[in-house]
Amino acid sequence: MVHLRKIRLLLGTLTLRKLWNFGWIYLSFFVSKWMRRSWHRGNPVKIGFEPTTFCNLRCPECPSGLRSFTRPTGMAQMDLFRHTVDQLFGDLVYLLLYFQGEPYLNPDFLDMAAYAHQKGIYSATSTNGHYLTPENARKTVESGLSEVIISIDGTTQDTYEAYRIGGNLEKVKQGVANLVEARKAAGSLHPFIVIQFLVVKPNEHQIEAVKEMGQSLGVDQVVFKTAQVYEFKHGNDLIPDNNRYSRYRQQTDGTWTIKNPLDNQCWKLWHGAEITWDGKVLPCCFDKDAAHEMGNLVETPFWEIWRSPAYDAFRNQLLTSRAEIDMCRNCSEGTRVFA
């Protein structure tokens, strides 16, 4: 379900240039699929930028929570963020200030949101909600951040902390209430406030309860996200019984496989990219350890990376043999289900 508040926020950032660019991206994607060869035109319409890799929680199946990154970890600097946005804002429609980690741990995070707002970009973030104090909630509204996605993966503390290890549900609920109140006090249209519920076996019985929680807290939307697990072939305690909310299905021999047929195509490689805290440009948000780095913004302008032979070769590989790309083998497109 598309909400009027979100539509109004998004329309306020669109320009004829952005729409024209989107048309080129869309056309080049379908031409490439037809030719089975990369014919890429246009500039990114969506970018993920990583404020930090650090996190206060210890969630399983998350490199930040597990402290299991093989790449360097750290905090993005404001200069790098400005450098990135200054290259992209003319065509950029959507900026997600999140990749891995908890964004509010970066002291420059809300300054980043404010800069994106000044540049006319629809900006969003995903947070575990533990830092939405009354002051941070007020500053979030003042920053102009367009959307805040708050992860609440259980309606009782025992269920919530089964996945959000180290988390405090009441603190998160209070944080949501703080943000709703701050927006109301400011008479602001932004941010669009979302509760995101990662459906796993321990919490799937609370799907209806979290809808009620969202309504009582006054958020704009509740969405349900399917969980990625790294070891799924022989089953996993996190895979829910409800097939609608599972990325995996059990085969006749008892083993499990991903539902995604892994067709030789992917919209992500045409319309956007991910940028790590230290400037690495990645083709996809599934590349959590930056194994497929296309270049680094500290050394090279974005456009040289975006149109480089290496990027084009990666798109071509995806169009001919996607299943051979390691990060694609556990990929599921369209991972959120709206309430």
Side-chain angles (χ1 to χ4, degrees):
M1 180 179 179
V2 180
H3 288 246
L4 182 59
R5 182 188 296 270
K6 188 168 185 175
I7 291 173
R8 289 174 63 190
L9 287 167
L10 184 59
L11 288 177
T13 67
L14 293 180
T15 63
L16 287 176
R17 172 178 168 172
K18 291 181 180 182
L19 292 171
W20 179 260
N21 176 66
F22 182 84
W24 273 112
I25 289 284
Y26 197 74
L27 174 65
S28 69
F29 174 63
F30 281 96
V31 170
S32 297
K33 283 205 305 177
W34 175 67
M35 295 194 308
R36 292 297 174 195
R37 179 171 58 83
S38 176
W39 182 80
H40 193 277
R41 298 295 184 275
N43 301 319
V45 297
K46 179 181 179 182
I47 287 289
F49 186 93
E50 181 178 64
T52 182
T53 52
F54 300 133
C55 188
N56 54 307
L57 302 185
R58 296 262 182 179
C59 306
E61 307 300 326
C62 172
S64 295
L66 294 171
R67 279 55 169 179
S68 63
F69 287 113
T70 59
R71 62 181 169 101
T73 56
M75 296 273 186
Q77 299 300 304
M78 191 67 192
D79 285 348
L80 175 63
F81 180 75
R82 288 195 194 96
H83 176 66
T84 301
V85 171
D86 288 348
Q87 294 181 72
L88 300 173
F89 76 93
D91 298 301
L92 197 60
V93 176
Y94 185 98
L95 172 68
L96 180 61
L97 280 163
Y98 171 78
F99 178 31
Q100 298 296 302
E102 169 51 47
Y104 279 88
L105 287 175
N106 188 318
D108 293 328
F109 167 63
L110 291 176
D111 290 332
M112 294 176 182
Y115 193 71
H117 180 67
Q118 292 168 19
K119 292 292 187 177
I121 304 168
Y122 185 100
S123 59
T125 197
S126 181
T127 173
N128 60 48
H130 283 77
Y131 299 96
L132 288 172
T133 61
E135 181 182 8
N136 276 345
R138 175 183 58 79
K139 289 180 177 179
T140 298
V141 174
E142 292 173 352
S143 74
L145 190 63
S146 307
E147 181 175 346
V148 178
I149 303 164
I150 304 156
S151 296
I152 299 184
D153 304 329
T155 59
T156 56
Q157 178 61 28
D158 60 335
T159 302
Y160 172 79
E161 67 181 350
Y163 188 83
R164 297 284 166 182
I165 297 171
N168 185 308
L169 177 60
E170 289 305 313
K171 187 173 184 178
V172 178
K173 288 169 64 178
Q174 184 58 56
V176 176
N178 291 340
L179 188 58
V180 170
E181 178 56 34
R183 186 180 70 178
K184 182 179 178 181
S188 176
L189 187 64
H190 56 255
F192 186 74
I193 303 171
V194 180
I195 283 178
Q196 180 173 271
F197 190 86
L198 184 71
V199 182
V200 288
K201 194 164 188 174
N203 70 14
E204 64 180 319
H205 63 288
Q206 294 180 339
I207 287 174
E208 293 304 318
V210 79
K211 292 180 185 179
E212 295 173 5
M213 177 189 290
Q215 187 174 15
S216 67
L217 288 170
V219 304
D220 299 302
Q221 191 174 34
V222 176
V223 299
F224 298 94
K225 185 177 181 180
T226 61
Q228 177 190 19
V229 298
Y230 289 101
E231 300 295 335
F232 60 83
K233 184 175 181 180
H234 299 290
N236 189 293
D237 290 341
L238 293 175
I239 298 176
D241 294 327
N242 188 326
N243 187 59
R244 182 187 181 194
Y245 299 105
S246 175
R247 298 188 188 188
Y248 311 94
R249 60 179 173 81
Q250 193 168 23
Q251 302 178 104
T252 54
D253 64 359
T255 62
W256 292 74
T257 185
I258 192 165
K259 291 178 181 177
N260 192 339
L262 294 184
D263 295 333
N264 291 329
Q265 58 176 297
C266 183
W267 171 236
K268 287 184 178 182
L269 267 292
W270 268 253
H271 82 276
E274 303 295 323
I275 299 170
T276 65
W277 69 273
D278 53 352
K280 295 182 177 70
V281 178
L282 311 178
C284 177
C285 59
F286 276 78
D287 191 10
K288 294 173 178 140
D289 263 321
H292 300 279
E293 180 183 347
M294 298 289 109
N296 195 304
L297 292 180
V298 176
E299 305 159 352
T300 311
F302 181 86
W303 308 116
E304 289 186 24
I305 298 170
W306 183 243
R307 299 190 177 99
S308 68
Y311 224 133
D312 204 44
F314 193 84
R315 294 186 184 106
N316 275 316
Q317 183 183 3
L318 185 140
L319 289 167
T320 57
S321 54
R322 184 181 175 200
E324 294 180 10
I325 303 173
D326 53 355
M327 69 177 174
C328 293
R329 296 189 198 117
N330 197 5
C331 170
S332 176
E333 298 178 29
T335 57
R336 294 204 300 179
V337 181
F338 296 95

